[in-house]
Structures are given as C-alpha cells and as structure tokens.
Amino acid sequence: MTFSFTGFTARGGLTDHHVDGWGVAFYEDVACRLFIDEKPACQSPMADFLKRYPFKSRNVIAHIRKATQGAARLENCHPFMRELRGQQWVFAHNGDLKGLPLPDCGPYAPLGTTDSELAFCVIMNSLYTSVDSQAQEPDDLFNVIEQLTRTLNRYGIFNFLLSNGDVQFAYCSSRLSYVLRDWPFTSAHLIDADWTVDFGALATPADRTAVIATTPLTDEKWVSCQPGDLLMFCDGQLRRQAHVPVPLEVLAMSKYAPSEASGLASTSSR
Amino acid sequence: MTFSFTGFTARGGLTDHHVDGWGVAFYEDVACRLFIDEKPACQSPMADFLKRYPFKSRNVIAHIRKATQGAARLENCHPFMRELRGQQWVFAHNGDLKGLPLPDCGPYAPLGTTDSELAFCVIMNSLYTSVDSQAQEPDDLFNVIEQLTRTLNRYGIFNFLLSNGDVQFAYCSSRLSYVLRDWPFTSAHLIDADWTVDFGALATPADRTAVIATTPLTDEKWVSCQPGDLLMFCDGQLRRQAHVPVPLEVLAMSKYAPSEASGLASTSSR
C-alpha cells in the first residue's frame, strides 16, 4: 500500500496534473478508514503522514482529482463512502457525467456538487431497494452493478472503482489497467518515483494482489482493459467479467478528453 | 480544537484510563472528516498528527473509549458517522445499553458489535422514516431526537453527542458538563496538560463557542448537567433544552459505574 500510494500521489501535482484533491479508503476487516483532502496530494501533510504510516489493508481505493464538475472542496473529494446494512461501500470515479437527475427517494444524497457522488448515491439507493439484506452474495451484487452500469454509462465517461470491503468492482469506460501479482513474485519499479520493491523477498506463496489503475503504476506487465469491461476482483483475483458496451457518443467524448481525467487506483489482496 | 483535543487525548491512557480507542469527527462546512483509531489516544501516531495539524472546524465531536461492549477494534471506535439525504450525521456515546434489538428494516445497521453503534443506527433509521426531506429544521429534529431519547434511555446509561453539522444534540443520562465562551473571552488552563490559552487575545467579538464534555476539560466555570437534560447547541449557543427523565433503574446503575465510562467532548462554534 505504501509503495503504490507513493507512486500514485506523485501524480497529484508532481509527475501529473491532478491537483484538485485526493483521497484513499482502506478497509481493515469490516471497518474502513477514509482520508480525503482538497489540497494537491504531493503537498498534503496528510498524504505525507500516510506514506510513512504502515497501515495494512486487503482492499484499498485511491483517487487523485482533476476537477470537471464541483470546486476543489472537501465534500467533492473521492473516494466517497456510504454505509448500507452493516457494510461500508466506497466509490471513486474518473470521467464526466452530464444530466444525471438527483435522487427523489432513498436515504442517500450527495453532500457536494460532483456528478460522481451523485452517481454513487444512485447506485447506493438502488442497492438499498434491489438487494435483499439476506442476499449480498458477490454474484448477486455483480448482476445489480452490471444493470446500474448499463443505465449510468449513457450519461458520459464513467470509469469507476466500487467496493464493499469484500469484493471490488472496476468498470472501464475509456481507460483502465490492472496487474495481478502472484507467487513467484518479481520486483517492480514505480513509474512516478525512483523506488523498486522486490515482492519475492516480502511475500509468501499464500499472498496474491490485484492492482487496478487508470494507467500502469509500475514497469510490470499490466493488462489494458477494453472500454465496456466490467470486472469483479476478490482476494487478489479476477473473479468475474462482463461487457457493458459504452455508447458510441460516449466513446467519441473519450477521444477528446483523455488527459483531463482524474486518476483511480486500487488494490485487492488475499 | 487543538487546545481541547490535547487535554482530551491525555485522558486516553495518560491522565485517565480510556485506552480502547479514540476518535474525532470535524465538520468543514457540509463535509466531515472522521479519524478513528483502536490504539490508546496518548500512543496513537494519528492523534499526534492531528494535534500538530491546524484543522479548522465549527463543529467537532470527539470520544475516548473505555470498552463495555465490543473489542478494541476499529469498527467499534466512536464517533460513528452516517450520511442521510445529503447530511453527515455523527454520534458518540458514553454508557452501556442492554437488550437493544437489531434494526429489522431501514438502510443503516452496525458494522461492529457495540451497543452504541446499534443505538445510532436505530436513530438514523428513525430519522430516515420520520423526518421528511423538506423539513430538516432544527426544532423538528429536536422533537424527533427527544422522542428517540425517551425510547432508548430505558435500555441503560445513554450519555450521547449527536450532530448533523448544523446543530449539536447532547443528552445527559448520568454525567455531562458544558461551558460557553463568549466575548469578552478570558484565559483557560487545561486540567489534563500544562497549557493555558488566552482566548481574549485570539478571538473576536463575533466568536462564540460551546464546549461539551463528560467532565470539565479546563479550569473555567462549567455547567454541570442534570441527568435527563437534553440540549441543542447551534453556533456556540444553547438553543433549546428539554428534560427526558432517566428511568430510576438506570439512575441506580449510574451510581455503580461512573468511572468505567468512556469520555465525550465536543465543540459548537460560530
């Protein structure tokens, strides 16, 4: 977590231009710590504290923000977090949705003014009404998320990461990559900082990690997702995959706004 | 905030025995930062970071935990936070509730195993069903909280602090004090650390603060609440007050468990 976070936060103003805030959520079993800040990640004392503090987590979602909608304010920083029936849900978005209506019922509504938090509230209100409290199985959740993605991706670019602490969903609307690390581990060098870690020396055969990010964080062999790929990771493995086509008009938008987007990164580990 | 927090965290293992975790929530306008840790506050690197980092907030709720129910784990640390219809609600409890049933409907359920988080979820589910989205006026909220307190205080000792970032509710089931600071300000000395602040030199006539805590944090003249007092603070003022009698059997419990309780502290400022 410290390794990936160091490379990732460098993109918050140092090696890239995502200067409108940042955030990271990490699950510790059922609880989730959320740190958000409206300052650029490379200047944030809190990001600096986190780089030095050895939190351990099997499930992390991080975000560096390049604002499209909503000012650089705390309530507009990703990831967003909501509790539903005893589970913390965390969401981060890279893209730009236009014309999504405010929820007219359900418990969840945005604090801030981003399209992203609004989309998350739509997802959470749907999960509240459509997923029975007794049936929060990963495959049931996948089916609901797949339907919601089909509805929401019509509003614009919608790359996202979503987790309930157990599984992690990732959708590629325009750009997303991942790498799977498994035994025997090799070493990896950060693209955004001069730091190499030999995972072979640190990890055991029981370890396994998936790292998902807008663009690769290391010099390892990353898998480049296709627009429309919806992935579900669990315990460091890719567990299920579906294709939710990106509407043609949204694909066209992506071509003109690739470098304007925010950055997403997450890890799922066993 | 830095001043009160320094005295308060000393009680997390240094000048008092609340060693089972701590937490602090501070609102920045509509958003709320929550920091919780299962380590004793006096040993926590995160508490140390917060004492040095000058966050500004008009509404803060802090807690140091002496566990009665639920292990020293992250999900059991107060304050607890939930979002409802675009507002973050924060809750901290000092006491011990027995036999409170789990929610059978509504979006909110506990992550952890404390009576406190369960009581908070009962409050949030009730606010969701009984407060209309158009009528979140402080006085309407007060009426709902008063009714809920009448129901919940039968289950045991129930000192609590609750806020939506706009107003702050405080209930004294066994022990709670507050102090109002207003122009002309005087100086105050911490009871738990050797630190005096001259608020007269720092504040302006427009400033005003209410500090609420289980026991006084400074050598100022604190008001000692009576068991049953339900208070609503807003912009550093006591706005409304009601009496919700504590059942006799609960009053009797309080006599035998006064030093076993967790510590609450909050500030409401203009």
Side-chain angles (χ1 to χ4, degrees), chain B residues 42-121:
Chain B
C42 72
Q43 293 167 18
S44 162
M46 210 195 298
D48 195 53
F49 168 75
L50 291 178
K51 274 185 262 181
R52 288 177 292 110
Y53 198 73
F55 291 111
K56 285 198 174 148
S57 174
R58 291 204 159 77
N59 225 332
V60 180
I61 291 185
H63 186 270
I64 39 177
R65 185 162 183 249
K66 168 74 188 159
T68 49
Q69 295 178 43
R73 294 176 56 86
L74 191 61
E75 62 270 25
N76 290 337
C77 293
H78 310 218
F80 302 100
M81 186 161 79
R82 296 291 189 275
E83 181 268 320
L84 168 63
R85 294 198 183 105
Q87 284 193 321
Q88 289 285 20
W89 286 78
V90 166
F91 176 82
H93 170 223
N94 153 11
D96 195 10
L97 307 175
K98 304 270 195 216
L100 191 60
L102 274 167
D104 54 0
C105 64
Y108 307 100
L111 305 170
T113 52
T114 63
D115 51 325
S116 311
E117 190 189 15
L118 177 52
F120 181 40
C121 291

Side-chain angles (χ1 to χ4, degrees), chain A residues 244-262:
Chain A
V244 182
V246 179
L248 283 176
E249 61 276 23
V250 175
L251 278 177
M253 280 180 220
S254 311
K255 286 197 183 140
Y256 300 103
S259 67
E260 285 307 300
S262 300

Side-chain angles (χ1 to χ4, degrees), chain B residues 13-219:
Chain B
L14 205 64
T15 60
D16 210 337
H17 53 219
H18 310 93
V19 295
D20 299 315
W22 63 276
V24 59
F26 33 105
Y27 287 91
E28 297 188 15
D29 197 2
V30 297
C32 185
R33 295 183 193 265
L34 176 70
F35 295 92
I36 47 172
D37 206 2
E38 72 279 14
K39 288 179 213 48
C42 72
Q43 293 167 18
S44 162
M46 210 195 298
D48 195 53
F49 168 75
L50 291 178
K51 274 185 262 181
R52 288 177 292 110
Y53 198 73
F55 291 111
K56 285 198 174 148
S57 174
R58 291 204 159 77
N59 225 332
V60 180
I61 291 185
H63 186 270
I64 39 177
R65 185 162 183 249
K66 168 74 188 159
T68 49
Q69 295 178 43
R73 294 176 56 86
L74 191 61
E75 62 270 25
N76 290 337
C77 293
H78 310 218
F80 302 100
M81 186 161 79
R82 296 291 189 275
E83 181 268 320
L84 168 63
R85 294 198 183 105
Q87 284 193 321
Q88 289 285 20
W89 286 78
V90 166
F91 176 82
H93 170 223
N94 153 11
D96 195 10
L97 307 175
K98 304 270 195 216
L100 191 60
L102 274 167
D104 54 0
C105 64
Y108 307 100
L111 305 170
T113 52
T114 63
D115 51 325
S116 311
E117 190 189 15
L118 177 52
F120 181 40
C121 291
V122 169
I123 292 172
M124 292 308 297
N125 285 326
S126 296
L127 284 169
Y128 172 52
T129 50
S130 63
V131 181
D132 186 68
S133 54
Q134 306 309 319
Q136 299 201 3
E137 285 303 307
D139 284 320
D140 297 329
L141 292 174
F142 189 95
N143 296 337
V144 176
I145 301 301
E146 189 182 342
Q147 281 309 314
L148 284 165
T149 305
R150 217 174 285 278
T151 308
L152 290 166
N153 76 354
R154 283 181 278 143
Y155 290 90
I157 303 173
F158 191 49
N159 303 287
F160 72 78
L161 298 171
L162 173 70
S163 181
N164 65 348
D166 181 29
V167 288
Q168 205 170 109
F169 301 92
Y171 182 62
C172 174
S173 169
S174 62
R175 198 199 289 208
L176 202 68
S177 294
Y178 68 89
V179 64
L180 300 173
R181 293 183 190 137
D182 207 340
W183 187 264
F185 291 86
T186 56
S187 67
H189 186 82
L190 284 184
I191 289 172
D192 298 84
D194 188 15
W195 190 0
T196 298
V197 164
D198 180 6
F199 292 110
L202 295 168
T204 72
D207 290 322
R208 197 168 58 199
T209 297
V211 186
I212 306 132
T214 299
T215 57
L217 294 169
T218 64
D219 60 357

